[in-house]
Amino acid sequence: MNQFNDFNLSPLMKKTLAAANFIVPTPVQAGAIPPALEGRDVLATAQTGTGKTLGFLIPMLERLEKTAVKSIQTVVLLPTRELAMQVQATYNKLGASHRSVLVVGGLAERPQLDAIRRGASVLIATPGRLEDFLNRRLLKLDHVRMLVLDEVDRMLDMGFRPAIQRIVSVLPRERQTLCYSATLDKQVEEVVGQYLKQPVRVEIGHVLKPSANVKLRAFEVPVAKKQVLLEHLLQSEEGSFLVFVKTKHGADRVAQKLTRSGWGATRIHGDRTQAQRTAALRSFSQGQHRVLVATDVAARGIDVAHIAHVVNYDLPKVAEDFVHRVGRTGRAQKQGIASTFAAPEEKNDLRHLEKKLSIQMEHFRVKEIVAC
């Protein structure tokens, strides 16, 4: 299908999509939307930045238009507050006449509860806060007809599997379930087997391989020279930089050093308040800060257009995290660069990463780069 107009959509939805400038579906949208519109369960795996959000929002909205029940009809579970907020923003962009409510930690719960009582149809939530509301009997999910598990691999990585199980246990058995993931490992397969019924399988590309739009580089660099190399890249290359570090303390340290050197840098990690995290994302996306330093968990919700350069300041723990990190650049057919810093003693780790992902980075030594 070449355009959204080719889908079996209502005239109103076609008009809404056109007004929002959504004309041509991405491959994952083209694969997942038709069976979802038919009421089938769907398991879709694709790299980050391939349009998975619209892949479940369109069937969701079409289903909502066919029901008159004034209660929560759809639950969307996501791993982070930022990602939940971005999904709600996209939902609102489609001009939905059905109210949505954001149920996430880190924000005041009173407005969330008030929105539920006013009659929200769509609940967009992180597992922790939703489970808390359920335990306190502050809402009911008796009429849910659709469950969306978005970025389910990351939710499992973050330890949310017990919470997801308890949430799903209170949902009606007769429902449609859509599962979206960047990777497909044993944990994800177990969840799929437990919650989905004969799902349509949509797989776009190799889920454990970075996008071909991203130029991959590796720098052998002593730990003490990482900051120097980062600043050299900032000076010699254009565009915004998303820098990944291992720890919260490391994120603070790198961002502070960049700021002292005159680079516009901000940071995002789990110890920052929701207001601070939102402000950091906004200033980065609007170009007020050129550099955003982030930890993996916090960065999972980052969906900023046109990030030019991803830097793995610290090596990721697992290959999947490398794919998630690198997937923040080279999106929507644009070109991007991903630079990975590895200390001499991490040579074997870097080699293992390349082997697992079947990739070959362009290798440099820091003395050659800094001297040029």
Side-chain angles (χ1 to χ4, degrees):
M1 296 188 181
N2 296 323
Q3 297 189 348
F4 282 110
N5 275 338
D6 298 326
F7 289 123
N8 184 25
L9 300 173
S10 64
L12 176 61
M13 176 58 71
K14 290 181 179 180
K15 183 178 178 181
T16 299
L17 291 170
N21 203 31
F22 293 128
I23 308 299
V24 179
T26 66
V28 71
Q29 292 163 0
I33 291 175
L37 288 171
E38 295 171 1
R40 301 281 304 276
D41 285 3
V42 173
L43 167 62
T45 51
Q47 296 169 356
T48 300
T50 52
K52 289 177 283 185
T53 301
L54 214 59
F56 62 77
L57 286 182
I58 290 174
M60 176 199 305
L61 287 164
E62 289 287 81
R63 183 163 189 154
L64 287 171
E65 288 300 323
K66 297 174 183 177
T67 180
V69 178
K70 299 298 181 183
S71 60
I72 296 170
Q73 298 289 302
T74 300
V75 171
V76 183
L77 285 181
L78 308 113
T80 67
R81 289 168 284 191
E82 287 80 15
L83 191 56
M85 293 164 73
Q86 288 164 7
V87 167
Q88 189 184 46
T90 304
Y91 179 86
N92 293 337
K93 185 178 180 180
L94 294 177
S97 57
H98 297 270
R99 289 177 181 162
S100 67
V101 56
L102 197 66
V103 174
V104 298
L107 298 177
E109 64 176 47
R110 178 54 53 189
Q112 299 177 21
L113 292 170
D114 289 344
I116 292 170
R117 294 189 184 103
R118 285 196 298 269
S121 300
V122 177
L123 192 152
I124 302 170
T126 50
R129 175 59 65 89
L130 178 54
E131 186 184 25
D132 176 51
F133 279 9
L134 289 170
N135 289 340
R136 291 156 59 193
R137 300 185 179 181
L138 297 174
L139 80 166
K140 291 184 177 181
L141 301 177
D142 299 346
H143 298 288
V144 169
R145 292 294 175 263
M146 179 184 284
L147 169 66
V148 178
L149 300 172
D150 191 20
E151 305 239 9
V152 66
D153 51 341
R154 180 54 57 173
M155 284 196 285
L156 298 175
D157 287 345
M158 294 169 66
F160 283 132
R161 185 168 184 173
I164 294 171
Q165 288 177 327
R166 288 188 282 268
I167 291 166
V168 174
S169 70
V170 304
L171 301 181
R173 286 183 174 274
E174 292 302 315
R175 65 171 189 276
Q176 182 180 12
T177 303
L178 309 179
C179 181
Y180 291 79
S181 180
T183 59
L184 184 62
D185 58 19
K186 186 178 179 181
Q187 275 200 102
V188 176
E189 289 177 342
E190 289 173 354
V191 166
V192 170
Q194 195 171 358
Y195 303 138
L196 278 69
K197 298 176 182 176
Q198 298 180 318
V200 174
R201 179 78 171 89
V202 179
E203 182 177 358
I204 305 301
H206 193 301
V207 295
L208 255 188
K209 198 174 182 71
S211 168
N213 295 332
V214 182
K215 181 180 180 180
L216 302 175
R217 309 189 306 197
F219 294 86
E220 182 183 324
V221 51
V223 173
K225 289 189 177 181
K226 283 185 178 182
Q227 191 80 22
V228 176
L229 176 57
L230 175 58
E231 293 188 29
H232 172 81
L233 294 177
L234 283 165
Q235 189 169 10
S236 59
E237 298 180 5
E238 298 180 349
S240 57
F241 275 60
L242 175 56
V243 180
F244 284 98
V245 295
K246 204 163 28 179
T247 65
K248 302 167 189 174
H249 175 69
D252 288 334
R253 186 179 64 251
V254 171
Q256 288 163 4
K257 285 183 178 179
L258 288 173
T259 300
R260 285 198 296 269
S261 296
W263 301 104
T266 186
R267 63 202 188 280
I268 179 170
H269 56 68
D271 279 352
R272 305 210 83 197
T273 66
Q274 184 59 45
Q276 289 173 325
R277 291 162 70 163
T278 301
L281 276 174
R282 186 185 303 115
S283 67
F284 179 61
S285 63
Q286 294 176 352
Q288 295 162 355
H289 286 97
R290 185 185 174 197
V291 186
L292 178 63
V293 186
T295 54
D296 283 303
V297 170
R300 184 62 173 190
I302 295 174
D303 187 12
V304 177
H306 314 317
I307 294 173
H309 203 135
V310 167
V311 175
N312 294 308
Y313 192 91
D314 295 320
L315 277 179
K317 293 179 182 177
V318 294
E320 287 85 351
D321 285 341
F322 181 88
V323 175
H324 290 312
R325 291 178 176 189
V326 169
R328 301 297 158 185
T329 187
R331 306 179 78 163
Q333 307 308 312
K334 294 186 179 294
Q335 299 298 307
I337 299 173
S339 297
T340 298
F341 296 178
E345 60 270 22
E346 294 176 315
K347 271 186 181 179
N348 288 338
D349 294 330
L350 188 62
R351 212 172 286 122
H352 177 73
L353 180 69
E354 289 180 300
K355 185 176 180 181
K356 175 139 191 197
L357 297 176
S358 300
I359 58 174
Q360 179 60 57
M361 304 184 208
E362 188 177 3
H363 285 251
F364 300 91
R365 287 191 178 182
V366 69
K367 59 182 181 181
E368 298 168 4
I369 299 299
V370 175
C372 67

Short mmCIF file of all heavy atoms in Angstrom, two decimals, residues 221-267:
data_model
loop_
_atom_site.label_atom_id
_atom_site.label_comp_id
_atom_site.label_asym_id
_atom_site.label_seq_id
_atom_site.Cartn_x
_atom_site.Cartn_y
_atom_site.Cartn_z
N VAL A 221 40.17 4.86 22.70
CA VAL A 221 40.54 6.07 23.43
C VAL A 221 40.68 5.75 24.92
O VAL A 221 39.79 5.13 25.51
CB VAL A 221 39.48 7.17 23.20
CG1 VAL A 221 38.07 6.68 23.46
CG2 VAL A 221 39.77 8.39 24.06
N PRO A 222 41.77 6.17 25.55
CA PRO A 222 41.88 6.00 27.01
C PRO A 222 40.75 6.75 27.71
O PRO A 222 40.29 7.79 27.22
CB PRO A 222 43.24 6.62 27.33
CG PRO A 222 44.00 6.61 26.04
CD PRO A 222 42.97 6.80 24.98
N VAL A 223 40.33 6.22 28.83
CA VAL A 223 39.22 6.82 29.58
C VAL A 223 39.50 8.30 29.85
O VAL A 223 38.61 9.15 29.74
CB VAL A 223 38.99 6.06 30.90
CG1 VAL A 223 37.96 6.79 31.76
CG2 VAL A 223 38.54 4.63 30.61
N ALA A 224 40.74 8.63 30.19
CA ALA A 224 41.08 10.01 30.55
C ALA A 224 40.96 10.98 29.38
O ALA A 224 40.91 12.19 29.58
CB ALA A 224 42.52 10.05 31.10
N LYS A 225 40.91 10.45 28.14
CA LYS A 225 40.84 11.33 26.98
C LYS A 225 39.46 11.36 26.32
O LYS A 225 39.28 11.99 25.28
CB LYS A 225 41.89 10.89 25.95
CG LYS A 225 43.32 11.19 26.37
CD LYS A 225 44.28 10.95 25.21
CE LYS A 225 45.71 11.31 25.61
NZ LYS A 225 46.67 11.10 24.49
N LYS A 226 38.49 10.67 26.91
CA LYS A 226 37.16 10.63 26.31
C LYS A 226 36.55 12.03 26.18
O LYS A 226 35.97 12.37 25.15
CB LYS A 226 36.22 9.74 27.13
CG LYS A 226 36.44 8.25 26.93
CD LYS A 226 35.37 7.47 27.70
CE LYS A 226 35.50 5.98 27.49
NZ LYS A 226 34.43 5.24 28.20
N GLN A 227 36.67 12.82 27.23
CA GLN A 227 36.08 14.16 27.20
C GLN A 227 36.73 15.02 26.12
O GLN A 227 36.05 15.76 25.40
CB GLN A 227 36.24 14.83 28.57
CG GLN A 227 35.45 16.12 28.74
CD GLN A 227 33.98 15.89 29.06
OE1 GLN A 227 33.60 14.81 29.56
NE2 GLN A 227 33.14 16.87 28.79
N VAL A 228 38.05 14.89 25.97
CA VAL A 228 38.77 15.64 24.94
C VAL A 228 38.27 15.24 23.55
O VAL A 228 38.03 16.10 22.68
CB VAL A 228 40.29 15.38 25.04
CG1 VAL A 228 41.03 16.08 23.91
CG2 VAL A 228 40.81 15.86 26.40
N LEU A 229 38.09 13.95 23.34
CA LEU A 229 37.61 13.46 22.05
C LEU A 229 36.19 13.96 21.78
O LEU A 229 35.88 14.39 20.66
CB LEU A 229 37.66 11.94 22.02
CG LEU A 229 37.09 11.26 20.75
CD1 LEU A 229 37.80 11.76 19.50
CD2 LEU A 229 37.19 9.75 20.86
N LEU A 230 35.34 13.92 22.79
CA LEU A 230 33.96 14.39 22.62
C LEU A 230 33.95 15.86 22.19
O LEU A 230 33.23 16.25 21.26
CB LEU A 230 33.18 14.20 23.92
CG LEU A 230 31.75 14.75 23.94
CD1 LEU A 230 30.90 14.14 22.83
CD2 LEU A 230 31.10 14.50 25.31
N GLU A 231 34.75 16.67 22.85
CA GLU A 231 34.78 18.09 22.51
C GLU A 231 35.39 18.31 21.13
O GLU A 231 35.00 19.24 20.42
CB GLU A 231 35.52 18.87 23.60
CG GLU A 231 34.78 18.86 24.93
CD GLU A 231 35.39 19.79 25.97
OE1 GLU A 231 35.99 20.80 25.58
OE2 GLU A 231 35.22 19.51 27.18
N HIS A 232 36.32 17.46 20.75
CA HIS A 232 36.89 17.54 19.39
C HIS A 232 35.80 17.27 18.35
O HIS A 232 35.70 17.98 17.34
CB HIS A 232 38.02 16.53 19.23
CG HIS A 232 38.52 16.44 17.82
ND1 HIS A 232 39.41 17.34 17.29
CD2 HIS A 232 38.24 15.55 16.83
CE1 HIS A 232 39.65 17.01 16.02
NE2 HIS A 232 38.96 15.93 15.73
N LEU A 233 34.97 16.26 18.58
CA LEU A 233 33.89 15.95 17.64
C LEU A 233 32.89 17.09 17.57
O LEU A 233 32.39 17.44 16.49
CB LEU A 233 33.19 14.65 18.05
CG LEU A 233 34.03 13.37 17.96
CD1 LEU A 233 33.22 12.18 18.47
CD2 LEU A 233 34.51 13.11 16.55
N LEU A 234 32.58 17.68 18.72
CA LEU A 234 31.66 18.82 18.75
C LEU A 234 32.20 19.99 17.94
O LEU A 234 31.44 20.71 17.28
CB LEU A 234 31.40 19.25 20.20
CG LEU A 234 30.45 18.37 21.01
CD1 LEU A 234 30.56 18.67 22.49
CD2 LEU A 234 29.01 18.59 20.54
N GLN A 235 33.50 20.17 18.01
CA GLN A 235 34.12 21.29 17.30
C GLN A 235 34.22 21.04 15.80
O GLN A 235 34.06 21.97 15.00
CB GLN A 235 35.51 21.55 17.87
CG GLN A 235 36.16 22.84 17.37
CD GLN A 235 37.41 23.18 18.15
OE1 GLN A 235 37.90 22.38 18.93
NE2 GLN A 235 37.93 24.38 17.93
N SER A 236 34.44 19.81 15.42
CA SER A 236 34.71 19.52 14.01
C SER A 236 33.48 19.11 13.21
O SER A 236 33.53 19.07 11.98
CB SER A 236 35.77 18.41 13.90
OG SER A 236 35.32 17.23 14.55
N GLU A 237 32.35 18.81 13.90
CA GLU A 237 31.17 18.35 13.18
C GLU A 237 29.95 19.18 13.57
O GLU A 237 29.90 19.77 14.65
CB GLU A 237 30.94 16.86 13.46
CG GLU A 237 32.11 16.02 12.96
CD GLU A 237 31.93 14.54 13.22
OE1 GLU A 237 30.86 14.14 13.70
OE2 GLU A 237 32.88 13.79 12.93
N GLU A 238 28.97 19.20 12.71
CA GLU A 238 27.78 20.02 12.91
C GLU A 238 26.63 19.20 13.48
O GLU A 238 26.64 17.98 13.46
CB GLU A 238 27.36 20.65 11.57
CG GLU A 238 28.40 21.58 10.97
CD GLU A 238 27.93 22.17 9.65
OE1 GLU A 238 26.90 21.70 9.12
OE2 GLU A 238 28.60 23.09 9.14
N GLY A 239 25.62 19.91 13.96
CA GLY A 239 24.38 19.27 14.39
C GLY A 239 24.35 18.93 15.87
O GLY A 239 25.29 19.16 16.62
N SER A 240 23.22 18.37 16.27
CA SER A 240 22.99 18.04 17.67
C SER A 240 23.63 16.71 18.04
O SER A 240 23.79 15.82 17.19
CB SER A 240 21.48 17.97 17.95
OG SER A 240 20.87 17.03 17.08
N PHE A 241 24.00 16.57 19.31
CA PHE A 241 24.67 15.38 19.82
C PHE A 241 23.87 14.78 20.97
O PHE A 241 23.52 15.48 21.93
CB PHE A 241 26.06 15.73 20.35
CG PHE A 241 27.15 15.76 19.31
CD1 PHE A 241 27.07 16.64 18.23
CD2 PHE A 241 28.26 14.94 19.41
CE1 PHE A 241 28.08 16.69 17.28
CE2 PHE A 241 29.27 14.98 18.47
CZ PHE A 241 29.19 15.85 17.40
N LEU A 242 23.60 13.48 20.89
CA LEU A 242 23.02 12.73 22.01
C LEU A 242 24.12 11.81 22.53
O LEU A 242 24.61 10.94 21.80
CB LEU A 242 21.81 11.92 21.54
CG LEU A 242 21.16 10.98 22.55
CD1 LEU A 242 20.73 11.72 23.81
CD2 LEU A 242 19.95 10.27 21.92
N VAL A 243 24.52 12.02 23.78
CA VAL A 243 25.67 11.32 24.35
C VAL A 243 25.18 10.35 25.42
O VAL A 243 24.53 10.74 26.39
CB VAL A 243 26.68 12.32 24.96
CG1 VAL A 243 27.87 11.58 25.56
CG2 VAL A 243 27.13 13.33 23.91
N PHE A 244 25.53 9.06 25.25
CA PHE A 244 25.11 8.04 26.20
C PHE A 244 26.23 7.69 27.17
O PHE A 244 27.36 7.39 26.75
CB PHE A 244 24.67 6.77 25.46
CG PHE A 244 23.33 6.88 24.82
CD1 PHE A 244 23.23 7.18 23.46
CD2 PHE A 244 22.17 6.70 25.54
CE1 PHE A 244 22.00 7.28 22.85
CE2 PHE A 244 20.93 6.82 24.94
CZ PHE A 244 20.84 7.10 23.60
N VAL A 245 25.90 7.70 28.45
CA VAL A 245 26.85 7.31 29.49
C VAL A 245 26.23 6.22 30.35
O VAL A 245 25.03 5.96 30.30
CB VAL A 245 27.25 8.52 30.36
CG1 VAL A 245 28.01 9.55 29.55
CG2 VAL A 245 26.02 9.14 31.02
N LYS A 246 27.07 5.60 31.16
CA LYS A 246 26.66 4.42 31.92
C LYS A 246 25.86 4.77 33.18
O LYS A 246 24.93 4.06 33.55
CB LYS A 246 27.92 3.64 32.30
CG LYS A 246 27.70 2.17 32.56
CD LYS A 246 29.00 1.37 32.54
CE LYS A 246 30.24 2.14 32.93
NZ LYS A 246 31.46 1.29 32.91
N THR A 247 26.24 5.85 33.87
CA THR A 247 25.67 6.14 35.19
C THR A 247 25.10 7.55 35.27
O THR A 247 25.45 8.43 34.48
CB THR A 247 26.74 5.99 36.29
OG1 THR A 247 27.75 7.00 36.10
CG2 THR A 247 27.39 4.60 36.24
N LYS A 248 24.26 7.76 36.28
CA LYS A 248 23.69 9.09 36.53
C LYS A 248 24.79 10.08 36.87
O LYS A 248 24.80 11.22 36.38
CB LYS A 248 22.68 9.01 37.68
CG LYS A 248 21.53 8.04 37.43
CD LYS A 248 20.76 7.78 38.71
CE LYS A 248 19.77 6.64 38.54
NZ LYS A 248 19.10 6.28 39.80
N HIS A 249 25.73 9.66 37.72
CA HIS A 249 26.84 10.52 38.11
C HIS A 249 27.69 10.87 36.88
O HIS A 249 28.13 12.02 36.72
CB HIS A 249 27.71 9.82 39.16
CG HIS A 249 28.95 10.58 39.53
ND1 HIS A 249 28.91 11.77 40.22
CD2 HIS A 249 30.27 10.34 39.27
CE1 HIS A 249 30.14 12.22 40.39
NE2 HIS A 249 30.98 11.37 39.82
N GLY A 250 27.89 9.90 36.01
CA GLY A 250 28.65 10.14 34.79
C GLY A 250 27.96 11.16 33.89
O GLY A 250 28.62 12.01 33.28
N ALA A 251 26.64 11.08 33.80
CA ALA A 251 25.89 12.04 32.99
C ALA A 251 26.07 13.46 33.53
O ALA A 251 26.29 14.41 32.78
CB ALA A 251 24.42 11.66 32.96
N ASP A 252 25.98 13.60 34.85
CA ASP A 252 26.19 14.92 35.48
C ASP A 252 27.60 15.44 35.18
O ASP A 252 27.79 16.60 34.81
CB ASP A 252 25.98 14.83 36.99
CG ASP A 252 24.52 14.64 37.38
OD1 ASP A 252 23.65 15.06 36.59
OD2 ASP A 252 24.26 14.09 38.46
N ARG A 253 28.57 14.56 35.35
CA ARG A 253 29.97 14.98 35.20
C ARG A 253 30.28 15.41 33.76
O ARG A 253 30.88 16.47 33.54
CB ARG A 253 30.89 13.82 35.60
CG ARG A 253 32.37 14.20 35.61
CD ARG A 253 33.25 13.02 36.05
NE ARG A 253 33.19 11.91 35.11
CZ ARG A 253 32.59 10.75 35.36
NH1 ARG A 253 32.01 10.53 36.53
NH2 ARG A 253 32.57 9.79 34.45
N VAL A 254 29.86 14.62 32.78
CA VAL A 254 30.13 14.94 31.38
C VAL A 254 29.43 16.24 30.99
O VAL A 254 30.02 17.12 30.34
CB VAL A 254 29.70 13.79 30.45
CG1 VAL A 254 29.78 14.21 28.99
CG2 VAL A 254 30.57 12.56 30.70
N ALA A 255 28.16 16.38 31.38
CA ALA A 255 27.41 17.60 31.03
C ALA A 255 28.03 18.84 31.67
O ALA A 255 28.13 19.90 31.03
CB ALA A 255 25.95 17.45 31.44
N GLN A 256 28.43 18.73 32.92
CA GLN A 256 29.02 19.87 33.60
C GLN A 256 30.35 20.29 32.96
O GLN A 256 30.64 21.48 32.80
CB GLN A 256 29.21 19.55 35.09
CG GLN A 256 27.90 19.52 35.87
CD GLN A 256 28.01 18.82 37.21
OE1 GLN A 256 29.10 18.41 37.62
NE2 GLN A 256 26.90 18.69 37.91
N LYS A 257 31.17 19.32 32.58
CA LYS A 257 32.45 19.63 31.93
C LYS A 257 32.21 20.31 30.58
O LYS A 257 32.93 21.25 30.20
CB LYS A 257 33.28 18.36 31.75
CG LYS A 257 33.92 17.84 33.03
CD LYS A 257 34.79 16.62 32.76
CE LYS A 257 35.48 16.12 34.02
NZ LYS A 257 36.32 14.93 33.77
N LEU A 258 31.22 19.83 29.84
CA LEU A 258 30.90 20.45 28.55
C LEU A 258 30.44 21.90 28.75
O LEU A 258 30.84 22.80 28.00
CB LEU A 258 29.82 19.65 27.83
CG LEU A 258 30.23 18.30 27.25
CD1 LEU A 258 29.01 17.55 26.72
CD2 LEU A 258 31.26 18.46 26.13
N THR A 259 29.61 22.10 29.75
CA THR A 259 29.11 23.46 30.03
C THR A 259 30.25 24.39 30.39
O THR A 259 30.32 25.54 29.92
CB THR A 259 28.07 23.41 31.17
OG1 THR A 259 26.98 22.57 30.78
CG2 THR A 259 27.54 24.81 31.46
N ARG A 260 31.18 23.91 31.22
CA ARG A 260 32.33 24.74 31.61
C ARG A 260 33.21 25.07 30.41
O ARG A 260 33.88 26.11 30.40
CB ARG A 260 33.15 24.02 32.69
CG ARG A 260 32.51 24.06 34.07
CD ARG A 260 33.53 23.75 35.16
NE ARG A 260 34.06 22.41 35.06
CZ ARG A 260 33.55 21.34 35.68
NH1 ARG A 260 32.47 21.49 36.45
NH2 ARG A 260 34.10 20.16 35.54
N SER A 261 33.21 24.19 29.41
CA SER A 261 34.02 24.43 28.21
C SER A 261 33.29 25.28 27.17
O SER A 261 33.81 25.52 26.08
CB SER A 261 34.43 23.10 27.57
OG SER A 261 35.25 22.35 28.45
N GLY A 262 32.07 25.68 27.50
CA GLY A 262 31.33 26.58 26.61
C GLY A 262 30.36 25.91 25.66
O GLY A 262 29.76 26.58 24.81
N TRP A 263 30.16 24.60 25.80
CA TRP A 263 29.19 23.89 24.96
C TRP A 263 27.83 23.90 25.63
O TRP A 263 27.72 23.71 26.84
CB TRP A 263 29.64 22.45 24.72
CG TRP A 263 30.97 22.35 24.06
CD1 TRP A 263 32.16 22.02 24.64
CD2 TRP A 263 31.27 22.62 22.69
NE1 TRP A 263 33.18 22.04 23.73
CE2 TRP A 263 32.67 22.42 22.51
CE3 TRP A 263 30.51 23.02 21.59
CZ2 TRP A 263 33.30 22.59 21.29
CZ3 TRP A 263 31.15 23.18 20.36
CH2 TRP A 263 32.51 22.98 20.22
N GLY A 264 26.80 24.10 24.85
CA GLY A 264 25.44 24.06 25.41
C GLY A 264 25.01 22.64 25.67
O GLY A 264 24.65 21.91 24.74
N ALA A 265 25.05 22.21 26.92
CA ALA A 265 24.75 20.82 27.26
C ALA A 265 23.74 20.74 28.39
O ALA A 265 23.75 21.54 29.32
CB ALA A 265 26.03 20.08 27.66
N THR A 266 22.86 19.76 28.30
CA THR A 266 21.94 19.45 29.38
C THR A 266 21.94 17.94 29.57
O THR A 266 22.59 17.22 28.82
CB THR A 266 20.52 19.98 29.09
OG1 THR A 266 19.69 19.79 30.23
CG2 THR A 266 19.91 19.30 27.87
N ARG A 267 21.20 17.44 30.55
CA ARG A 267 21.29 16.01 30.87
C ARG A 267 19.94 15.47 31.30
O ARG A 267 19.07 16.21 31.76
CB ARG A 267 22.32 15.78 31.98
CG ARG A 267 21.97 16.42 33.29
CD ARG A 267 23.22 16.64 34.16
NE ARG A 267 22.89 17.08 35.51
CZ ARG A 267 22.58 18.33 35.84
NH1 ARG A 267 22.53 19.28 34.91
NH2 ARG A 267 22.30 18.66 37.09
#
